[in-house]
Amino acid sequence: MMLRTMTKADLGHALDWAAKEGWNPGLEDLDPFYAADPEGFFCAELGGNMAAAISVVNHTDSLAFLGLYLCAPAYRGQGIAHALWLHAMKHAGDRTIGLDGVPAQQENYRKSGFVLAGQTKRFAGRLSRGPGKGVQSAAADEHAALIAMEAKACGYAKPRFTAAWLEPAQTRFTLVHREAGKPNGFLTLRGCHEGWKIGPLCAPDLTVAQALLEAAAAHTGEDQVMIDLPAESAALAAHCLAMGMQPVFHTARMYRGPAPLAGRGQNAVGTLELG
């Protein structure tokens, strides 16, 4: 067994694998994921085959995020994924490490020193169309302000990842709500193997969040849209229910080390893989 850092091509393979496992990643996730931390993606290899994968991406000098944890069925129960876990965790050093895990794995994460900090619920369904008042496409000279806004909303910065995430692509783009000519809320919408995902969404209140979703609906049409909402965004969750969206699963946000303090407002998680 070889435990090693992934190449960019390996990461592309891992994302394809995640799609086959039903994780439904974005169609153009590879470049911004890799830009977040090229040394933060790991795999276990046996006989030339990728047996397990994981990411421990160092966002800053104080925080890392764990995700993309996969093990092929033929290699489960043999300690391979756990060995890779231990190997990858070293990359974070003494940083706080966050993750979004399914509830069934909470006890395993707890044994590794992770403490429950909150719950995130995914809603799926169609967006309701509306005027989207005050919302337009993001401008390049606004990216620095949006990066800072997102960092305040979730409680920690992801400068390399968010900078790459905000760069427009064929199937990923960002909408901004402006007040007095300045951005005070935004969302990023990306096409996935099935439907669309929104994340992050940052808004000071429900009115701004609703306008952003209305503008996004002009792009998603009748397609299914998914959005991951922390428990603190209760008003936005209620609005999603009112639109006819349904909760489809939830994850546990956990940290090993001091947990960051999320900001106020109505916000959605960027990605469950990178935080």
Side-chain angles (χ1 to χ4, degrees):
M1 181 175 66
M2 180 186 297
L3 304 178
R4 63 175 178 81
T5 304
M6 290 189 202
T7 64
K8 190 174 183 179
D10 291 328
L11 178 56
H13 175 67
L15 291 171
D16 289 341
W17 183 7
K20 292 177 182 177
E21 291 288 325
W23 291 20
N24 195 27
L27 298 173
E28 295 180 276
D29 285 356
L30 176 59
D31 286 345
F33 273 38
Y34 195 71
D37 180 4
E39 302 299 317
F41 301 90
F42 306 88
C43 65
E45 189 177 281
L46 282 86
N49 297 316
M50 189 182 293
I54 195 171
S55 60
V56 179
V57 168
N58 292 339
H59 285 306
T60 67
D61 290 340
S62 61
L63 190 131
F65 205 87
L66 185 153
L68 207 63
Y69 192 32
L70 294 157
C71 186
Y75 298 106
R76 293 173 186 168
Q78 302 174 42
I80 295 169
H82 184 62
L84 181 62
W85 168 287
L86 295 175
H87 175 75
M89 292 281 278
K90 297 175 184 176
H91 180 64
D94 60 359
R95 294 171 176 84
T96 288
I97 305 174
L99 61 80
D100 284 308
V102 295
Q105 293 297 323
Q106 278 188 41
E107 185 57 32
N108 288 333
Y109 297 142
R110 191 174 289 112
K111 291 176 181 177
S112 293
F114 287 83
V115 176
L116 181 66
Q119 303 284 344
T120 298
K121 187 175 292 185
R122 172 167 292 178
F123 289 82
R126 296 185 181 92
L127 297 179
S128 297
R129 296 186 182 226
K133 186 177 179 181
V135 179
Q136 294 178 319
S137 297
D141 62 3
E142 294 175 317
H143 286 189
L146 302 186
I147 292 169
M149 188 186 302
E150 199 272 342
K152 184 177 180 180
C154 69
Y156 55 91
K158 303 188 285 286
R160 294 180 299 274
F161 171 66
T162 310
W165 200 242
L166 293 175
E167 289 296 323
Q170 286 188 333
T171 60
R172 186 184 64 250
F173 51 91
T174 297
L175 301 174
V176 170
H177 183 277
R178 298 184 181 90
E179 187 173 275
K182 295 183 178 181
N184 70 334
F186 80 97
L187 66 73
T188 296
L189 179 68
R190 80 194 202 269
C192 298
H193 288 258
E194 295 181 10
W196 301 80
K197 286 182 181 177
I198 288 173
L201 182 151
C202 302
D205 53 44
L206 182 59
T207 299
V208 173
Q210 183 175 345
L212 287 164
L213 293 178
E214 288 173 350
H219 299 277
T220 60
E222 297 300 310
D223 294 342
Q224 178 171 258
V225 179
M226 288 143 279
I227 185 169
D228 298 308
L229 299 179
E232 294 78 9
S233 296
L236 184 51
H239 177 67
C240 288
L241 286 171
M243 284 193 293
M245 301 179 80
Q246 296 297 319
V248 291
F249 75 89
H250 67 278
T251 57
R253 172 59 66 93
M254 305 181 78
Y255 292 99
R256 192 182 78 170
L261 182 63
R264 296 183 178 183
Q266 299 300 306
N267 306 305
V269 175
T271 77
L272 296 182
E273 293 78 27
L274 272 75

